[in-house]
């Protein structure tokens, strides 16, 4: 049997990692500024994380949600404290797509409505509803197509108001910073407008925080910059530092009922141990503050470079838009300077490193990047 070939890959076999550094099978060192799609939040093989998982595995790794799992409550309490959303409720699942799927479904249960407002260049996942709300027809199979999703222009308040007037809106789903869409930061006034319209029409505000949440921007959720609370926040990626963990936190106004949502693997003992380890390290090492400081430094330095068209983002979620003649820069960074970065089409380099990235590592990237631009 061979693998189902759906990923274009780099011919590099990464065999070990430490912090923001990874090493291939030949021992070559790479600086990881992508973290496997923003997943590595506290660094590769963080000692506290490894011990947390190892200790849990020696006790029990898995049992279903048919029994008491106290570590789930421990995770919920710690997440409430670190995120500042103590009065919310936690439902655990396995991935970002599943988190958004459950959020959209829960919103419809709550108000009995069907229409979902999403935005151009959005990405919310590959499961049925999540992919229907994703603005990429290439990954929407015929079976996923629905007329229940309305795509609006990014940050267009007039279009948003009109959509509410014309439709029975169940929910609005929006990334605080679009990732796949090219690191587009949602204007604070636009997020505030969504909040007010959802309140007026009894719709549910879903803050997709799968990539832009979990401290990456310097606040726990990037939507927090707008000074509002969403009704549901979806999370995954950095939540488990590589272990598959996803979840939604849910406003107290939305009440649960048995059978409303469900999962086999979500909230298992190992997943919760991983999730707790991440939050404990984030708290102990002030990683949100570090993300804000190192991110601000990187953005300021990148904005000084004349060849760069635009720098967007917050904290350690940064997009560097390049002119077409520099479209090769990302490959040069990887192949010549051994630095992993991400991309967004057509010519945006995405930086999504671990939140404990050091200034020395930031400078290593800047030196290499300047070299690529000037060669």
């Amino acid at each position: 049997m061979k693998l189902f070939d759906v990923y274009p890959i780099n011919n590099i076999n990464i065999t070990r990692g430490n912090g923001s550094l990874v090493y291939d099978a030949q021992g070559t060192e790479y600086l990881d500024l992508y973290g496997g799609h923003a997943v590595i939040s506290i660094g590769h093989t963080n000692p506290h994380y490894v011990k947390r998982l190892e200790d849990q595995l020696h006790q029990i790794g898995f049992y279903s949600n048919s029994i008491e799992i106290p570590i789930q409550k421990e995770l919920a309490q710690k997440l409430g404290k670190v995120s500042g959303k103590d009065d919310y409720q936690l439902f655990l699942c396995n991935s970002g797509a599943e988190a958004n799927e459950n959020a959209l479904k829960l919103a419809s249960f709550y108000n009995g409505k069907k229409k979902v407002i999403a935005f151009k260049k959005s990405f919310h996942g590959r499961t049925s509803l999540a992919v229907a709300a994703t603005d990429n027809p290439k990954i929407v199979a015929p079976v996923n197509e629905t007329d229940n999703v309305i795509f609006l222009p990014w940050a267009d308040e007039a279009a948003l108001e009109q959509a509410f007037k014309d439709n029975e809106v169940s929910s609005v789903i929006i990334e605080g910073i679009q990732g796949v869409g090219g690191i587009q930061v949602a204007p604070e006034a636009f997020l505030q407008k969504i909040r007010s319209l959802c309140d007026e029409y009894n719709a549910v505000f879903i803050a997709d925080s799968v990539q832009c949440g979990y401290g990456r921007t310097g606040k726990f959720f990037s939507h927090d910059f707008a000074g509002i609370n969403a009704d549901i926040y979806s999370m995954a990626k950095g939540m488990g530092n590589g272990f598959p963990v996803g979840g939604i936190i849910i406003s107290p106004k939305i009440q649960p009922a048995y059978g409303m949502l469900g999962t086999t693997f979500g909230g298992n003992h190992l997943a919760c141990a991983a999730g707790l380890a991440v939050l404990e390290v984030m708290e102990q090492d002030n990683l949100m503050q570090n993300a804000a400081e190192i991110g601000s430094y990187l953005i300021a330095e990148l904005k000084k470079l004349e060849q760069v068209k635009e720098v967007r983002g917050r904290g350690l979620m940064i997009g560097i838009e390049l002119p077409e003649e520099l479209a090769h820069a990302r490959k040069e960074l990887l192949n010549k300077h051994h630095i992993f970065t991400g991309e967004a089409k057509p010519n945006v380099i995405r930086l999504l490193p671990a939140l404990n990235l050091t200034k020395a590592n930031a400078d290593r990237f800047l030196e290499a990047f300047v070299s690529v631009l000037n060669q």
Side-chain angles (χ1 to χ4, degrees), residues 39-55:
V39 166
I40 301 300
S41 52
I42 59 171
H44 295 278
T45 61
N46 178 281
H48 179 70
Y49 174 83
V50 171
K51 187 174 189 306
R52 257 289 194 179
L53 282 169
E54 186 179 52
D55 288 350

Side-chain angles (χ1 to χ4, degrees), residues 347-367:
N347 296 314
V348 177
I349 290 176
R350 279 196 286 168
L351 304 184
L352 298 160
L355 306 188
N356 49 9
L357 186 77
T358 65
K359 185 174 181 293
N361 284 333
D363 285 333
R364 175 174 167 181
F365 163 72
L366 288 167
E367 183 179 348

Side-chain angles (χ1 to χ4, degrees), residues 216-233:
R216 178 157 295 282
T217 59
K219 291 185 181 290
F220 197 84
F221 296 114
S222 63
H223 303 73
D224 290 343
F225 284 95
I228 49 92
N229 285 313
D231 298 310
I232 302 175
Y233 295 83

Side-chain angles (χ1 to χ4, degrees), residues 91 107 138 155 168 202 241 271 284 347 366:
F91 176 79
K138 291 181 180 179
E168 286 286 308
N202 192 33
N241 200 51
Q284 292 162 13
N347 296 314
L366 288 167

Side-chain angles (χ1 to χ4, degrees), residues 135-161:
D135 186 27
N136 182 356
K138 291 181 180 179
I139 65 170
V140 179
V143 72
N144 302 132
E145 293 172 357
T146 174
D147 60 1
N148 286 327
V149 178
I150 304 158
F151 287 102
L152 299 182
W154 181 247
D156 187 329
E157 291 191 18
L160 181 68
E161 289 179 347

